[in-house]
Amino acid sequence: MQFSVRASLEQFTLPHPGGEGLLKISVAAPAMAPPDTKLPVLYVVDGDFLFGMAAEIARALSSVAAFPPFMVVGIGYEATYLDFLKLRTADLSPPISAEAAAAMGSVGAMIGSDRNGGADAFLAFLADTLKPEIAARYPQTDGDEHILFGHSLGGLFAAHALLTRPDAFSNFIVSSPSLWWDGFSILQKLPAFKERLAALPKQPRVFVDVGGKEQDPPTSVPPGLGVTLEEAQAQIRAARMVEAAKEFADALREAGVADLRHIAFAEEDHTSVAPSAMIHGVRFALRQGA
């Protein structure tokens, strides 16, 4: 059996939905795919961080573990780290009140909480611009099997996408979602979501995960971020990541999501959980016994 050691890579740019700048779209095709196979597509926000990981996981799964081949599409910025933090906040977050933004203090300044509220426009870009673009460029993709993966603030975005446009993707992987954003106001969308879900001819499948250690208080913070240890610890306490993820999964079930899986990965923290979330989330999405 012959296959590439590394995942393939093609890149192109599309105008940012806000009207300024460009988004870098990265695409990895599977190492091997039988002729006439329709490929599911995994869309990964925070592509600057997560696309490479997702592409190699896809290659390893489909090439080594006899896993169904799938394509990976990453959406990124090609920015410095501190600029990236602010750009993603602008695109991935629903609006936040001035009071909630101010209460975040130095944490909010670090991630650019004053630049918020672009989630609806970014979701419209993914669903109405990027998906058709991928279908046109790669006709071997499966128009009925498309998976959204978001982690952390990207997990909040995936939750927002699910609740507001549950028909936009066939599968949602909501990884370590920042549900605490704007005082957990995203939960107010659940009643309307229940009605949207009931009206769909076909329900999406939903995977919600979190690292079991995500509520453990940090003992240090990376230098250069402008956040004190005390501020970071206060943010962790307020976020209630592990408890909130379970409560969100329970609320989705109550709203009528029939095909849902929730996992708290016991030994993982907020950073280390991402690969596990991606592997198990895609296994669930593609019905591989997870």
Side-chain angles (χ1 to χ4, degrees):
M1 181 183 297
Q2 297 295 321
F3 59 88
S4 173
V5 174
R6 294 183 177 87
S8 67
L9 173 64
E10 295 181 4
Q11 293 182 307
F12 59 92
T13 59
L14 289 174
H16 190 281
E20 294 185 10
L22 297 171
L23 290 169
K24 175 61 69 70
I25 309 302
S26 302
V27 181
M32 295 180 298
D36 302 322
T37 298
K38 287 295 186 181
L39 299 173
V41 184
L42 173 67
Y43 289 88
V44 180
V45 298
D46 286 331
D48 303 80
F49 267 4
L50 297 175
F51 170 76
M53 179 193 302
E56 287 301 325
I57 285 174
R59 182 197 62 81
L61 287 176
S62 60
S63 299
V64 178
F67 197 91
F70 61 99
M71 185 170 287
V72 180
V73 175
I75 306 94
Y77 306 99
E78 285 200 332
T80 65
Y81 178 65
L82 291 179
D83 286 341
F84 162 76
L85 291 178
K86 295 175 173 60
L87 288 166
R88 71 190 291 266
T89 297
D91 283 337
L92 300 178
S93 66
I96 186 173
S97 69
E99 295 78 12
M104 293 173 65
S106 297
V107 174
M110 176 185 69
I111 68 172
S113 60
D114 58 324
R115 298 170 58 184
N116 64 78
D120 282 336
F122 197 65
L123 175 56
F125 166 78
L126 294 187
D128 304 329
T129 299
L130 181 57
K131 282 172 58 181
E133 183 73 20
I134 293 298
R137 288 174 178 259
Y138 305 95
Q140 70 270 40
T141 56
D142 185 346
D144 294 326
E145 198 73 70
H146 28 75
I147 308 158
L148 176 64
F149 178 91
H151 175 75
S152 190
L153 200 59
L156 173 70
F157 173 77
H160 175 82
L162 169 66
L163 295 181
T164 60
R165 292 188 62 175
D167 58 340
F169 295 87
S170 60
N171 297 267
F172 294 81
I173 303 175
V174 182
S175 178
S176 297
S178 299
L179 301 169
W180 52 266
W181 182 262
D182 194 37
F184 293 88
S185 65
I186 191 170
L187 302 180
Q188 297 170 13
K189 296 179 170 65
L190 282 163
F193 166 70
K194 184 175 182 177
E195 295 182 8
R196 292 189 183 102
L197 191 69
L200 292 180
K202 182 180 179 182
Q203 279 199 8
R205 308 178 81 239
V206 182
F207 183 93
V208 180
D209 76 88
V210 70
K213 295 186 175 182
E214 292 199 41
Q215 286 184 202
D216 294 0
T219 57
S220 64
V221 294
L225 296 183
V227 177
T228 68
L229 177 60
E230 291 74 19
E231 289 171 325
Q233 291 173 337
Q235 177 64 34
I236 294 298
R237 287 194 297 271
R240 300 175 53 251
M241 294 293 291
V242 179
E243 296 167 356
K246 183 181 185 305
E247 291 165 5
F248 183 62
D250 290 343
L252 292 176
R253 288 193 184 95
E254 288 243 349
V257 177
D259 209 344
L260 183 146
R261 183 171 174 84
H262 167 254
I263 299 180
F265 294 98
E267 297 302 315
E268 308 296 351
D269 59 30
H270 190 65
T271 301
S272 67
V273 75
S276 296
M278 203 169 285
I279 292 169
H280 290 271
V282 172
R283 286 180 63 196
F284 172 81
L286 299 183
R287 299 166 177 82
Q288 293 301 300

